[in-house]
Structure formats: structure tokens, C-alpha cells
Amino acid sequence: MTRLAILGATGAVGTTLLRVLEERDFPLDELRLLASERSAGTSRPYAGREIPIQAVGPQSFDGIDIAIFSAGATRSREWAPQAIAAGAVVVDNSSAFRMDDGVPLVVADVNPHAARAHSGLISNPNCSTMQLMPVLAALHRRSPLDHVTVATYQSVSGTGQKAVEALRNQSAAVLVGDEPTVEVYPHRIAFNVLRAGAPAGDDDYTDEELKLVNESRKILELPELRVSVTCMRVPVLNSHSEAVWVRTREPIGPDEARELLAAEPGITVIDDPEADLYPMAIDADGQDGVLVGRIRRDLGDPNALALWVVADNLRKGAATNAVEIAQLLVRDRLLRSAAA
């Protein structure tokens, strides 16, 4: 049995973490829910009982085996060292440590071996990176990747609950002819498409785009992989979609790609053009796996495929992977406590 803490338990990912832990009947001796002072004293339901929310503090991680962080990079930088010093293994959903040398960046169904090298800290990749990795890994095992091009269509839940409410409120206002209030994003998101992320560096790429490039290389252990990416935010409540073009050293035909991907435990292929079946955001909502469809040969490159990849960004893109890492830590006895 395991003593587990969640920092950021009241946020969108934290709430989803509780749901996934309960669905999987994760073996727990203790579940400690942590958040800011503002949320202290409230509670969250789990397995038929109410778990109180505690304000995070210096003793919050005493006796904890695994601490899952979903409270943003600033909070992770502040509290991760203290959790590690208290003996916990931190599974961090933020961008704070992903590219640090010596910190494993893990997708549980792609590179679980990386978790074994942890020194008390394991990072979860960004949601748009996460859903793409099982697809790229499967194709790479068949023929080495040469170049990947990605255009993302990211839902507002990836920004948080305030963005979800902003989309709902703005949509309601527009539909009755009112001027919507612009909030959360620099421009209105209702019936619009926005750049995802903030400018990062001198090349006019956003932080969301650079995350996908750099994290893909680290997870796949392909530091020279060519990745071209554009990330956009769309007025969808939940689930990210990606248009992907993959060039491999040797060509992989669409039929073979469907067979390869369908054989992967975490991937579901939905690809029937005649029946107008392909992955949609509403299909992925609430699901743990990755949906792939519209698998075609790239008309401009005989060694490339075009694909459409969709996943629930709160589950597969964050909470589910964090729980799967926790399961891996317990199963392979990779915890730091003497009782593990």
C-alpha cells in the first residue's frame, strides 16, 4: 500500500487525477490532498468519502511515498525539493524540470525504462507531446523517423478551468448578439482560433511549440530528430487534436501503419473513410488512450504518412500518465521509502 499526495488537487488535472486513481483502484494507505490556503478546508470526493484539502506547507510531504504535482511550474520549483527531501518520489506535471539533465521525462507506455534512473523526480511531458509519443514510437520501431511535422488544435481545458468557463461565457454572449468579455487569453476564444502558448526565444516560436520539439527528442532518445510544429488553441472544451506528417527512412504504407498502430495497447485506430469515421475530440473525451485515423500516404513524399491524432488532454495528456508512472513505481519497487 502507498501513501500518496496530490499538490494542486482542486484544479482540472487534480480533479481528473482523483477520478483515474479511483477507477484504477490504486492501492492507498493514505491520500493527502494539497492546495493553496484559499482551498484549505474544502474537500473532494474519493471512493465514497470526502477527503479534506490541506494547505501545502513544510510538513505536507512527511511520510509520503509518491507526490503528484499539478500546480504549475512555480509551485513545483518551490515544493519539489522539499518533497524529495522528505523521502517522496515526485511525479511533476509542470514544465519546471522536463528538460533538466538527470530528470527522466516519461510516457509510461513509451519509455518506462527511463523512470528507473530517477533520483526522486520524474517529469510528465506536455499534453500535446504526450499523445503523439505512442504513435511516433510505434512507427519508429518499424522504420527510423526522419522528420515529423505537427499542427496542433488544442482545447481550452489545457489552460485550466477558467479557460473552460471563458469559452462557455463567450459563446453564450456571441450567440445572443452580445459582445463577449475577453478573459484568460489575449483575444476571444469563442468561434476563433488563437496561437497556443507565449513567445519563447528569437525565432517567433511559442513555448508550447518548443516543448513539443524538445520533449519529443528527449523521450524518443533521438536528439537530432527534425520536428516542425505549429500549435493553435481552438474553441473545444476538452481533447487535443493533431495533424501529423511523419517521414521515415523506409516507406510505411497506410495499411501497414494501421496494422502497426492498432496492435499498440494504448492506441485505437478509427479510420473508415467510406463510413465517415475518424477520431474526433468528443470521442476522446473521458478516454485514456490515443485515437488515430485519416492515415494516408503523403502525396508530396513517398516516404511519409499523414495522420490525425486525438486524445483527452486532461487524462492521457496529464493525469493518466502520472498515475501510470505511480503504478510503475509501486510495481517495480522504485520508491525511496524503506517500506517500499
Side-chain angles (χ1 to χ4, degrees):
M1 301 290 277
T2 308
R3 295 159 296 182
L4 187 143
I6 298 174
L7 176 60
T10 59
V13 173
T15 301
T16 307
L17 276 165
L18 289 171
R19 192 175 303 126
V20 175
L21 285 167
E22 185 171 355
E23 289 170 357
R24 296 187 174 216
D25 196 22
F26 192 93
L28 291 172
D29 275 328
E30 180 184 355
L31 178 59
R32 199 175 298 175
L33 304 185
L34 307 171
S36 65
E37 288 279 0
R38 185 176 65 251
S39 299
T42 62
S43 64
R44 289 294 182 271
Y46 180 81
R49 65 189 193 276
E50 291 290 322
I51 308 293
I53 304 294
Q54 305 175 32
V56 63
Q59 280 76 52
S60 292
F61 303 100
D62 290 354
I64 290 296
D65 299 310
I66 301 172
I68 301 178
F69 281 30
S70 293
T74 299
R75 287 292 184 96
S76 290
R77 293 189 187 98
E78 178 181 3
W79 293 108
Q82 297 190 47
I84 294 168
V89 178
V90 173
V91 180
D92 183 39
N93 274 315
S94 83
S95 61
F97 309 106
R98 288 175 185 153
M99 299 310 299
D100 287 7
D101 292 339
V103 176
L105 183 61
V106 175
V107 177
D109 53 355
V110 173
N111 64 333
H113 61 277
R116 298 185 178 91
H118 80 79
S119 299
L121 176 62
I122 298 171
S123 279
N124 242 12
N126 196 36
C127 43
S128 55
T129 305
M130 186 95 68
Q131 68 187 65
L132 184 59
M133 291 303 96
V135 177
L136 294 186
L139 295 175
H140 181 65
R141 286 193 293 270
R142 167 60 179 82
S143 179
L145 301 176
D146 181 51
H147 191 180
V148 178
T149 301
V150 187
T152 73
Y153 306 81
Q154 297 176 219
S155 72
V156 296
S157 65
T159 309
Q161 189 59 37
K162 289 183 179 179
V164 171
E165 294 306 318
L167 174 56
R168 287 176 171 150
N169 294 337
Q170 291 174 14
S171 298
V174 172
L175 288 171
V176 297
D178 292 341
E179 186 65 27
T181 300
V182 175
E183 52 186 335
V184 181
Y185 301 113
H187 308 283
R188 130 184 166 198
I189 183 62
F191 304 97
N192 202 9
V193 178
L194 308 179
R195 178 188 69 189
D202 299 326
D203 294 327
D204 294 331
Y205 283 91
T206 69
D207 53 358
E208 284 287 303
E209 291 162 346
L210 294 180
K211 288 173 191 175
L212 205 158
V213 172
N214 296 324
E215 293 171 17
S216 297
R217 291 169 173 168
K218 182 173 181 177
I219 293 163
L220 296 171
E221 300 175 11
L222 298 171
E224 304 303 320
L225 179 64
R226 295 186 295 163
V227 183
S228 305
V229 60
T230 297
C231 291
M232 304 301 290
R233 189 78 59 186
V234 295
V236 171
L237 290 175
N238 192 46
S239 299
H240 291 351
S241 303
E242 298 174 338
V244 184
W245 293 264
V246 182
R247 189 181 200 280
T248 52
R249 187 176 301 168
E250 301 295 332
I252 303 173
D255 288 340
E256 183 181 5
R258 290 185 193 97
E259 185 177 344
L260 285 170
L261 296 173
E264 293 295 312
I267 295 175
T268 299
V269 174
I270 304 174
D271 197 7
D272 187 343
E274 294 301 321
D276 205 23
L277 292 177
Y278 49 87
M280 296 183 289
I282 57 174
D283 299 326
D285 188 31
Q287 304 299 315
D288 284 331
V290 177
L291 310 183
V292 184
R294 303 221 61 220
I295 302 171
R296 297 148 288 150
R297 190 179 302 281
D298 187 333
L299 297 179
D301 187 339
N303 278 37
L305 288 170
L307 313 94
W308 180 246
V309 180
V310 183
D312 184 323
N313 51 283
L314 295 180
R315 292 184 69 105
K316 178 59 180 177
T320 298
N321 194 65
V323 172
E324 288 175 344
I325 291 172
Q327 291 176 312
L328 173 68
L329 292 171
V330 172
R331 185 193 71 204
D332 290 358
R333 303 181 65 82
L334 299 174
L335 300 178
R336 304 168 70 222
S337 62

